[in-house]
Amino acid sequence: MKLRFEGDLTELLAGIGALSQDNWFSEAEDGVLVRVGPSTGNLEVGLEQGQAYIRYGHKHQFYRGLGLLVQHGSSGQAFHIEEKQHIHTVGPMFDLSRNAVLTLDSFKDLLRKMALMGMNSVMLYMEDTYEIKGEPYFGYMRGRYSEAELREIDDYAYQFGIEAFPSIQTLAHLEEFLKWEPVREYKDTKGALLVGTEKTNQLMENMIEAVSAPFRSRKVHIGMDEAEELGRGKYLDKNGYVERFEIMMAHLDKVLEIVRRRGLKPMMWSDMFLKFTSADGTEHFDTESQFSESMANRIPSDVDMVYWDYNHMEEEHYDKLIAKHRPLNCNLVFAGGVWVFNTFGVNYGMSLNATDSALKACKRAGVGEVYATLWGDDGMESNPYIALLGLQFYAEHAYAEGELDRAKLAERVKFCTGIELDAYMLMKDLDETPGAEPNNEKQSNPCKFLLYQDVLLGLFDKQIEGLEMSAHYANVEQAIRSSRVPEAELDYIFDVPEKLCGVLKLKSEIGIELKQAYDAGDKETLRRIAVEVLPAIEAGVQDLRAAHRKQWLRMFKPFGWEVIDIRYGGVINRLDTASMRLMDYVEGRIGQIEELEQERLVYSTTNRFNNKGAGWCSFYYRMASPNVFFHVMNPF
């Protein structure tokens, strides 16, 4: 669509130019006249008698309006749209700490898509992936961003009215920094800092100075979640037993002193405080316990509390947890999730339903700042691009008064990303398999553990026995292939899911077939598997690896890919060893295959036998082997 703009465009021209590079509109003298101006607060977009208008209250709304204009005005038919933003701050949290550090080009591409959606905030989760002068081991070989790179991200976001700001860790979740021997002086436990020392306090100063300098925003997320280890390592040796709440409050006071001195606005995860209210000090989502008056009074009110909750389906649950935060008298922020965690796909069944309940509760309660987290737990086999439907869901909720219009969502995600909603939804079927709970509410992740499990050891074979996984993955492979649109810019994001299904239709149940043939003494079947099936699986894994490598290097910095590369290498090598072992047995060079002599056991209680999903495993090394991958004499 050709457009020409009239009005005060001083702050908009850079963003208009950036969006025009994606070729869904162009500026031209003979284009449709678009009158741009302020509104009373709502976004108004329309086309009347061949002329268009965009009236907006905030800068980011203009770019949503521009997208709506092209989406609805390309036909030349008159229209008028008026929207009110009911969640005033909305955006993603990109996990840049679990190996997958977005390249600047990918980050900018995602920002352009966010602009079309009407998002106005982005949180950069960086445990150690930013530079600190004088700390060479901080983010060493981890793809850390330089100050210049972070400034470039901030500048690019700013032109769209998107506020970029850092989310760091100032207490726990610092395993990747603290693993280095030269920084042992900072270490309490494997992942928690040794708080209360001058060296740690200086590190906090340097962290906050380094990470806040590149950004216009005065917001800084200081983390402090899941710090159960706190005070239980070197701190205990030095100071004796001190209650975690007391240790945390002393450390928080120090961090806030640094933050306030720099004029920054802090926020932190609230889960540790929620846990402190529970009877055993560990329950994050206890809806019945409450903050005592003394505890509430100790928690500073000038730090925003970020309530994270990713998988509850009931609106009442969110109502209660939001209300539970009220005695703190802090600004409350909500963080939900788009489940790319620990999988190659996206658990859209759970993500969209949980988000719908959460955001309805947020709007009722007046929680006006909301983030969609995209965690990359255990190495990030997934990616933010296949989660774009989830981000669109957040954006449309922010501009919807009540129920979300699903037809509008489908139209918007197709326009903003070029991919059909139904194609995105196929990503849930990588894990929403036979045996899964409806909407995969129990977070089964078989697409990952069935790829990485060893065919001779069969750790998950009993887990999936009788669940017809092979047929499921064959069907999903065909569905993905049929949904693809080669000319679409983002069609490439379906290469890995399609090829993964091609592997799993062969590999998912092969261990069960092997065990049955071995127990029956069926050497001909074992020979066929060794000579035909396992080599075919190996070839499929090689194709999958090549597609995944190409995708990774297009989206992310190279650091971290070596982890996934090694995982694929492990699968391929073990398939080769399995073929050799089978042929040695079939041809009489060995009298038994000891791995196949072992009884198969259920992996976990999350399984089809108690109606709680098809199984879950959090870590690659537990999927690949029950044996020792590493041994730490002293985890602290």
Side-chain angles (χ1 to χ4, degrees):
M1 187 176 183
K2 293 181 180 180
L3 305 173
R4 58 191 175 95
F5 299 93
E6 179 183 278
D8 185 359
L9 305 174
T10 307
E11 290 196 337
L12 303 176
L13 285 175
I16 291 171
L19 288 178
S20 68
Q21 76 180 57
D22 291 330
N23 298 319
W24 49 273
F25 81 97
S26 61
E27 292 186 82
E29 286 298 318
D30 60 344
V32 174
L33 177 64
V34 184
R35 289 193 167 91
V36 178
S39 74
T40 57
N42 290 356
L43 171 63
E44 298 178 50
V45 185
L47 181 67
E48 295 175 357
Q49 298 178 343
Q51 295 187 354
Y53 54 88
I54 302 174
R55 306 182 191 113
Y56 63 97
H58 300 280
K59 183 178 177 180
H60 69 279
Q61 293 174 347
F62 166 80
Y63 297 102
R64 178 176 172 89
L66 178 56
L68 288 168
L69 173 60
V70 176
Q71 178 185 341
H72 293 278
S74 295
S75 66
Q77 298 295 313
F79 74 94
H80 172 78
I81 295 172
E82 184 168 350
E83 292 184 331
K84 179 179 179 180
Q85 190 168 347
H86 296 275
I87 298 173
H88 62 70
T89 302
V90 62
M93 184 222 75
F94 293 129
D95 184 349
L96 306 165
S97 298
R98 294 334 195 296
N99 296 353
V101 179
L102 286 163
T103 65
L104 292 189
D105 285 345
S106 290
F107 212 124
K108 291 176 181 180
D109 183 39
L110 289 165
L111 286 168
R112 291 195 298 275
K113 290 171 174 55
M114 289 166 53
L116 291 182
M117 294 177 186
M119 289 184 156
N120 61 345
S121 193
V122 59
M123 192 191 308
L124 287 74
Y125 179 75
M126 301 178 289
E127 291 173 357
D128 67 333
T129 48
Y130 58 98
E131 286 183 334
I132 301 177
K133 291 177 183 175
E135 293 291 350
Y137 286 94
F138 197 84
Y140 175 58
M141 291 290 183
R142 296 256 293 137
R144 63 191 172 198
Y145 288 122
S146 67
E147 180 176 345
E149 287 176 314
L150 291 176
R151 286 189 187 279
E152 191 170 340
I153 290 169
D154 185 60
D155 287 342
Y156 203 81
Y158 178 76
Q159 68 188 343
F160 300 119
I162 296 173
E163 181 181 21
F165 69 96
S167 173
I168 65 173
Q169 290 290 355
T170 59
L171 183 57
H173 280 302
L174 286 168
E175 291 88 347
E176 298 311 314
F177 172 51
L178 296 177
K179 70 185 177 215
W180 298 109
E181 186 271 339
V183 302
R184 63 190 181 278
E185 61 201 10
Y186 298 130
K187 184 176 181 178
D188 178 13
T189 66
K190 183 175 72 171
L193 290 168
L194 179 59
V195 302
T197 70
E198 285 303 313
K199 285 187 176 293
T200 297
N201 290 343
Q202 186 59 54
L203 177 65
M204 294 300 99
E205 292 268 5
N206 297 342
M207 273 184 174
I208 292 165
E209 177 62 30
V211 84
S212 62
F215 296 94
R216 291 173 175 83
S217 175
R218 295 293 80 199
K219 287 183 182 177
V220 60
H221 195 313
I222 58 175
M224 298 200 178
D225 60 311
E226 298 181 325
E228 282 81 5
E229 300 172 37
L230 178 63
R232 295 180 176 179
K234 290 181 184 176
Y235 184 95
L236 183 63
D237 296 338
K238 287 168 62 75
N239 302 287
Y241 176 75
V242 180
E243 292 210 7
R244 284 181 301 161
F245 179 72
E246 297 300 329
I247 303 173
M248 187 166 177
M249 290 308 305
H251 185 62
L252 176 59
D253 287 342
K254 180 59 184 177
V255 173
L256 291 182
E257 185 270 321
I258 297 168
V259 166
R260 290 167 183 145
R261 190 171 358 106
R262 286 171 168 77
L264 300 171
K265 176 60 178 170
M267 60 173 65
M268 65 178 288
W269 307 111
S270 70
D271 60 294
M272 287 302 295
F273 291 136
L274 294 177
K275 289 170 186 174
F276 291 146
T277 70
S278 68
D280 63 359
T282 64
E283 178 52 54
H284 178 186
F285 299 118
D286 185 344
T287 57
E288 301 306 318
S289 65
Q290 299 297 325
F291 284 99
S292 67
E293 184 177 354
S294 61
M295 184 181 293
N297 289 338
R298 289 281 303 280
I299 297 171
S301 61
D302 64 340
V303 56
D304 293 355
M305 286 293 154
V306 185
Y307 156 43
W308 61 264
D309 200 334
Y310 309 138
N311 60 351
H312 289 92
M313 300 293 191
E314 309 80 18
E315 291 180 45
E316 182 183 11
H317 167 85
Y318 296 99
D319 291 336
K320 289 181 177 179
L321 265 295
I322 289 170
K324 183 173 176 174
H325 285 81
R326 294 304 185 200
L328 301 182
N329 293 316
C330 301
N331 178 51
L332 185 60
V333 177
F334 178 76
V338 182
W339 274 83
V340 292
F341 321 175
N342 245 308
T343 178
F344 283 75
V346 188
N347 186 348
Y348 274 126
M350 184 169 64
S351 296
L352 300 188
N353 285 287
T355 296
D356 191 49
S357 294
L359 297 193
K360 286 177 182 175
C362 285
K363 285 190 278 193
R364 277 197 305 272
V367 177
E369 187 170 354
V370 165
Y371 295 94
T373 63
L374 285 80
W375 294 106
D377 295 16
D378 194 45
M380 190 55 144
E381 278 92 355
S382 190
N383 65 81
Y385 281 91
I386 57 174
L388 284 172
L389 169 60
L391 299 191
Q392 192 85 54
F393 193 91
Y394 274 79
E396 298 313 308
H397 236 302
Y399 290 87
E401 184 171 1
E403 290 289 333
L404 190 63
D405 185 331
R406 300 301 175 109
K408 180 180 178 181
L409 171 68
E411 293 170 359
R412 290 287 295 150
V413 77
K414 173 62 187 302
F415 176 78
C416 293
T417 73
I419 301 296
E420 298 281 355
L421 180 147
D422 289 345
Y424 282 113
M425 289 299 287
L426 290 171
M427 296 303 96
K428 73 184 179 64
D429 294 328
L430 296 182
D431 292 313
E432 197 170 321
T433 62
E437 287 281 274
N439 293 316
N440 198 8
E441 291 185 27
K442 300 300 178 183
Q443 302 132 256
S444 295
N445 63 338
C447 79
K448 183 167 173 172
F449 64 66
L450 293 177
L451 173 66
Y452 291 143
Q453 82 156 341
D454 188 274
V455 294
L456 288 181
L457 299 175
L459 294 183
F460 296 88
D461 285 350
K462 192 68 175 177
Q463 197 85 11
I464 64 153
E465 193 175 52
L467 292 182
E468 299 184 355
M469 291 290 187
S470 295
H472 172 80
Y473 284 113
N475 290 336
V476 178
E477 178 191 30
Q478 185 55 48
I480 293 173
R481 185 175 296 142
S482 299
S483 74
R484 296 188 63 173
V485 182
E487 61 270 21
E489 173 208 351
L490 293 184
D491 182 70
Y492 78 94
I493 67 176
F494 296 99
D495 284 348
V496 171
E498 182 183 335
K499 286 181 168 58
L500 175 61
C501 289
V503 169
L504 293 180
K505 73 181 180 184
L506 300 177
K507 185 176 185 289
S508 59
E509 296 183 79
I510 194 62
I512 297 171
E513 187 178 352
L514 270 176
K515 176 67 171 163
Q516 289 172 343
Y518 181 80
D519 288 346
D522 183 354
K523 292 189 174 182
E524 283 309 306
T525 294
L526 295 178
R527 181 189 297 274
R528 177 183 60 80
I529 292 172
V531 173
E532 299 176 13
V533 180
L534 297 188
I537 295 171
E538 183 178 338
V541 174
Q542 290 280 22
D543 287 345
L544 170 60
R545 170 180 168 266
H548 199 167
R549 180 176 60 193
K550 183 178 181 181
Q551 175 184 281
W552 182 287
L553 295 175
R554 181 171 177 171
M555 294 179 184
F556 305 122
K557 294 186 178 187
F559 303 96
W561 169 250
E562 74 280 1
V563 172
I564 309 299
D565 222 0
I566 290 166
R567 292 177 182 182
Y568 282 125
V571 174
I572 290 165
N573 284 340
R574 288 299 296 163
L575 287 167
D576 179 66
T577 295
S579 292
M580 182 206 74
R581 299 269 293 148
L582 289 170
M583 291 307 298
D584 280 351
Y585 174 69
V586 167
E587 295 178 355
R589 287 184 290 276
I590 58 176
Q592 63 178 3
I593 301 176
E594 291 164 290
E595 301 95 321
L596 295 178
E597 292 283 334
Q598 301 297 308
E599 179 187 0
R600 272 33 182 171
L601 302 176
V602 169
Y603 185 85
S604 74
T605 56
T606 304
N607 62 69
R608 63 195 179 94
F609 297 109
N610 59 12
N611 197 33
K612 288 189 176 180
W616 171 265
C617 184
S618 295
F619 302 107
Y620 157 77
Y621 69 91
R622 293 299 185 206
M623 301 172 188
S625 172
N627 290 300
V628 175
F629 261 66
F630 51 82
H631 180 64
V632 181
M633 290 297 292
N634 181 359
F636 299 153

